[in-house]
Amino acid sequence: MKLNPFEKKLVRHPLRFWLQNHIEAPLLTSMMPKPMACFEQALEIGCGFGNGIHLIREHFGAGRVTAVDIDPEMVAAAKGRWQGSPHGLKDIDFAIADATRLPFGDAQFDIVFDFAVFHHIPDWQMAIEEVARVLKPDGFFVIEDLYRAAICNPLSRRLFEHPQQNRFDHREFLAVLRQAGFLILCERNVFNLAGMVLAQKTLRL
């Protein structure tokens, strides 16, 4: 599901970028095993206005970033932002794509990122299956997302447009990750409103 106009303004606000760069990124990188592995190929699902690309390159050291979004407006905005940067579009690929039908081959990426996107996806379970498919064995899935209590309430429904059916909490999200063949390396639950998870793809038994 695409963002509504209000949420688009919210996610592109400079304060949102500051929070991502100075609060969220350090918390996410602190979950990674040390020393951090070298990630040649990274995928961001739901690239928005392109700030996640900065996080992935600067904080996780990814060599090449592929950024996808279901909204063509978002992809165009992110591409335009990076086209005008000092390094241009070097080592960045963009695509319009549905997270439940990723246009990539099996075992293509070393690491996949979800920066608060899966709560927008009606069939989030299928999206997790797709992440497992495109990740290389032992690849990492870095997640920060919002849970049912944060989006299925009167205030959130008034301000935003999120799917209201088939939503998840922290426990349910972890359970589906495990069913898809992921090992949970680190997980943080903030009052069952939001959470962060580091998962690693393993071979299914």
Side-chain angles (χ1 to χ4, degrees), residues 45-185:
I45 297 177
C47 64
F49 292 99
N51 195 56
I53 296 168
H54 172 77
L55 268 62
I56 294 166
R57 297 177 84 177
E58 296 301 315
H59 294 272
F60 289 85
R64 187 167 202 90
V65 179
T66 299
V68 304
D69 202 292
I70 198 171
D71 188 341
E73 179 187 344
M74 294 293 210
V75 173
K79 190 173 184 179
R81 173 183 177 178
W82 282 94
Q83 202 162 24
S85 71
H87 298 289
L89 298 177
K90 185 179 184 219
D91 296 326
I92 308 175
D93 298 310
F94 293 93
I96 300 166
D98 184 333
T100 63
R101 295 187 297 274
L102 293 172
F104 308 113
D106 296 352
Q108 185 170 334
F109 297 98
D110 302 292
I111 189 166
V112 176
F113 294 86
D114 156 29
F115 297 130
V117 170
F118 275 50
H119 70 278
H120 288 281
I121 302 173
D123 190 359
W124 58 276
Q125 294 96 331
M126 187 66 238
I128 287 178
E129 290 285 344
E130 278 291 272
V131 171
R133 181 183 67 79
V134 302
L135 263 177
K136 297 176 183 177
D138 295 326
F140 294 97
F141 187 16
V142 179
I143 303 146
E144 60 167 348
D145 224 309
L146 299 177
Y147 297 144
R148 181 187 297 110
I151 65 172
C152 297
N153 62 73
L155 178 60
S156 181
R157 286 196 294 268
R158 186 177 184 87
L159 296 175
F160 309 111
E161 293 178 18
H162 297 131
Q164 296 295 299
Q165 305 299 319
N166 188 32
R167 299 301 83 202
F168 51 88
D169 61 17
H170 190 72
R171 179 187 57 80
E172 292 162 345
F173 199 79
L174 294 181
V176 174
L177 285 169
R178 291 186 175 106
Q179 288 171 3
F182 284 100
L183 175 68
I184 307 303
L185 299 182

Side-chain angles (χ1 to χ4, degrees), residues 186-204:
C186 185
E187 46 96 3
R188 295 167 179 162
N189 182 8
V190 183
F191 305 115
N192 225 17
L193 296 171
M196 292 182 173
V197 182
L198 175 65
Q200 188 173 29
K201 178 179 175 178
T202 60
L203 295 177
R204 298 193 191 209

Side-chain angles (χ1 to χ4, degrees), residues 5-19:
F6 175 74
E7 194 164 6
K8 285 182 178 179
K9 289 180 181 178
L10 195 65
V11 299
R12 74 185 307 175
H13 193 280
L15 178 60
R16 171 61 179 148
F17 292 163
W18 187 91
L19 288 171

